[in-house]
Amino acid sequence: MTLLDFPILVGHLEMDGSGHARIIVDRDNINLPEYLESQSDVHFQDLQASKFSWDALPHGVATTGSVTRAGADGTIKLANIHVVRLQENSGLVLFINTTHAVFDGIGYCTFVNRWAEIAKWMHSGDTTRELPVFQGSFTRNTLARHVPIDRRALDDSTRNMFTTSSLLAKWLAWISPRTRGALIGSAVSLPDNKGHLFHISSHMLALLHSSIKEHVDCTERISDNDILTALVSMLVAQSEAEQTTWSSHLGILNYLASYVIPSVFVQGREFATEIVIDTRPRLDGLRAAKYMGNAVFAGCLTNSLESMTGGINACSLALVARRVRQLVRHIGAPYIGQLFDTLNNDPSRFMCPLAQDITRMPAVVSNQSRFELYKADFGSGIPAWVSPIEIQFPHYVAIIPVHPSIGGYGIHITMSRKAMTNILCNKFWMNTVDLVY
């Protein structure tokens, strides 16, 4: 029943002749999501005791990685689902993956929660209560209609991120999604990468806010997101400070990059943070239109390497947090309109950030803390634990919600093993957070 509300998930991901990706839904050639069920000898109590560590989860629970790629039959599935029943029916692990070509995080949560709503309705057996009608839009035209006429110039860092072209960016944009997924997916899944989940309590975050007050103008509002983005950006920068490049962790992509990518930074002088921005609250009416597609982009913030790696303290944290606030405040509807124009002028530009990331070592920060991941109730209550997959893209940081009974934020970080070792030895960081797994 859920697929009736989300018909886009039975489509095929294809490239058109201009470099744009398209999802084609053909009623005579549907592409059903991958749906698997399995039984495990792992007990729920064992998972709970391990704090739901990925090492304790049933083997093979994640049937895909962080990159969209073709399955065994050569077809890219737009959704992958694996239902794992735990020992003695003690619990259930539900792996749900959708490609970013279809949804961003908001769309993903809407899909999961709608599925849960239907399952709970069916489980109740109350046929007198009607199932609420689903409303949502998947067409890109919905997003385009809410972009205003006014324009505001992009900041230099973000403009350069999307317009500094290269042969690699153009090649990645024009090859098929299957080839691109295979190439990038193989690089990301290299054994040298490691992921860890940390937790920062509401109390520790309040202490950070208090510590930077004397370094912030009384008229400035510094949010949790500003502080956390600044903190993890400095952490990533310091963890890599003794390494000249992280591109060796991307295999053949680094080999290609060494030939075809121009440097966009003064080598060794600046550090970039790409901050994922949701356009819905910034485009009037888009949230009300219930757009489910990909409505996010990355803004780029650059700081001097010296300010990022000189040690984390109240003063340095306040400096970077204020710069995060300035960038986020600068991004409004006219700014988004200008970004759309920039990308539409050259379809290959959507691959420029990835092509540059191979050589410039940015931190990519995505604040997902408002995602309704703990709303999904299939009939037996909300989840005990929700997490991203174990390994994301190197230098990728996801700020995620935690169980309502806990408070604070989860922070999932993927790094090379050497850089992750440096993170685990960073005294400021480890005194601020708890290592979950």
Side-chain angles (χ1 to χ4, degrees), residues 112-389:
V112 174
N113 289 328
R114 177 58 172 176
W115 182 15
E117 181 182 36
I118 293 174
K120 187 175 183 180
W121 175 76
M122 296 174 67
H123 181 70
S124 70
D126 185 3
T127 57
T128 63
R129 182 175 65 88
E130 291 188 4
L131 181 69
V133 176
F134 174 77
Q135 293 181 332
S137 172
F138 306 100
T139 173
R140 197 72 174 172
N141 291 336
T142 301
L143 181 58
R145 284 198 304 269
H146 290 85
V147 175
I149 298 176
D150 297 337
R151 295 292 183 266
R152 183 175 187 177
L154 304 178
D155 58 278
D156 291 343
S157 296
T158 300
R159 185 182 65 254
N160 289 339
M161 181 175 68
F162 284 106
T163 61
T164 303
S165 186
S166 67
L167 294 177
L168 180 59
K170 291 183 179 296
W171 180 66
L172 288 172
W174 284 88
I175 60 179
S176 72
R178 285 184 291 275
T179 302
R180 183 167 60 240
L183 184 65
I184 300 175
S186 297
V188 172
S189 60
L190 289 175
D192 190 51
N193 298 325
K194 181 68 177 176
H196 277 301
L197 178 65
F198 303 89
H199 174 252
I200 182 168
S201 67
S202 300
H203 173 68
M204 288 304 302
L205 192 56
L207 291 179
L208 290 179
H209 275 284
S210 178
S211 71
I212 69 171
K213 276 186 176 180
E214 64 179 291
H215 305 287
V216 176
D217 190 282
C218 62
T219 62
E220 287 183 288
R221 173 189 170 274
I222 301 297
S223 68
D224 288 356
N225 178 70
D226 300 332
I227 288 183
L228 291 176
T229 300
L231 178 59
V232 296
S233 297
M234 298 175 75
L235 180 71
V236 170
Q238 292 183 20
S239 72
E240 294 281 11
E242 297 180 358
Q243 302 182 62
T244 58
T245 180
W246 62 277
S247 56
S248 60
H249 309 309
L250 292 180
I252 191 173
L253 287 180
N254 175 57
Y255 175 80
L256 294 171
S258 65
Y259 285 93
V260 297
I261 297 182
S263 175
V264 295
F265 294 121
V266 178
Q267 187 66 29
R269 299 289 298 278
E270 292 183 320
F271 182 83
T273 301
E274 296 176 10
I275 304 172
V276 179
I277 304 291
D278 183 9
T279 63
R280 290 178 183 83
R282 295 169 171 83
L283 294 179
D284 187 35
L286 184 60
R287 181 176 284 166
K290 299 188 181 301
Y291 178 63
M292 298 293 105
N294 196 347
V296 300
F297 72 95
C300 186
L301 177 68
T302 56
N303 290 281
S304 70
L305 195 59
E306 181 180 2
S307 69
M308 299 294 284
T309 60
I312 305 175
N313 53 53
C315 182
S316 62
L317 183 61
L319 174 65
V320 180
R322 292 177 67 186
R323 297 212 63 221
V324 173
R325 168 52 36 188
Q326 290 168 3
L327 174 64
V328 173
R329 187 172 57 225
H330 182 70
I331 298 173
Y335 182 103
I336 295 170
Q338 183 60 52
L339 178 64
F340 270 55
D341 292 346
T342 301
L343 293 175
N344 288 334
N345 286 338
D346 182 354
S348 70
R349 284 178 174 170
F350 80 96
M351 274 294 159
C352 286
L354 175 61
Q356 295 169 29
D357 289 353
I358 295 171
T359 58
R360 68 176 182 172
M361 309 187 309
V364 180
V365 183
S366 175
N367 190 334
Q368 305 167 10
S369 61
R370 294 184 180 179
F371 289 1
E372 295 180 325
L373 295 170
Y374 284 95
K375 180 182 176 181
D377 180 357
F378 287 79
S380 301
I382 65 172
W385 167 82
V386 179
S387 169
I389 61 174

Side-chain angles (χ1 to χ4, degrees), residues 51-54 57 62 93-96 108 195-198 368 373-374 383-392 398 400-403 410-413 436-437:
K51 299 181 181 180
F52 302 101
S53 166
W54 273 90
L57 285 174
V93 179
L94 187 57
F95 174 79
I96 306 174
Y108 171 88
H196 277 301
L197 178 65
F198 303 89
Q368 305 167 10
L373 295 170
Y374 284 95
W385 167 82
V386 179
S387 169
I389 61 174
E390 182 180 13
I391 303 295
Q392 297 280 346
I400 62 175
V402 295
H403 194 278
I411 303 175
H412 189 278
I413 304 177
V436 181
Y437 61 75

Side-chain angles (χ1 to χ4, degrees), residues 412-423:
H412 189 278
I413 304 177
T414 301
M415 301 289 292
S416 70
R417 290 184 181 273
K418 182 177 180 180
M420 185 61 77
T421 298
N422 294 338
I423 285 177

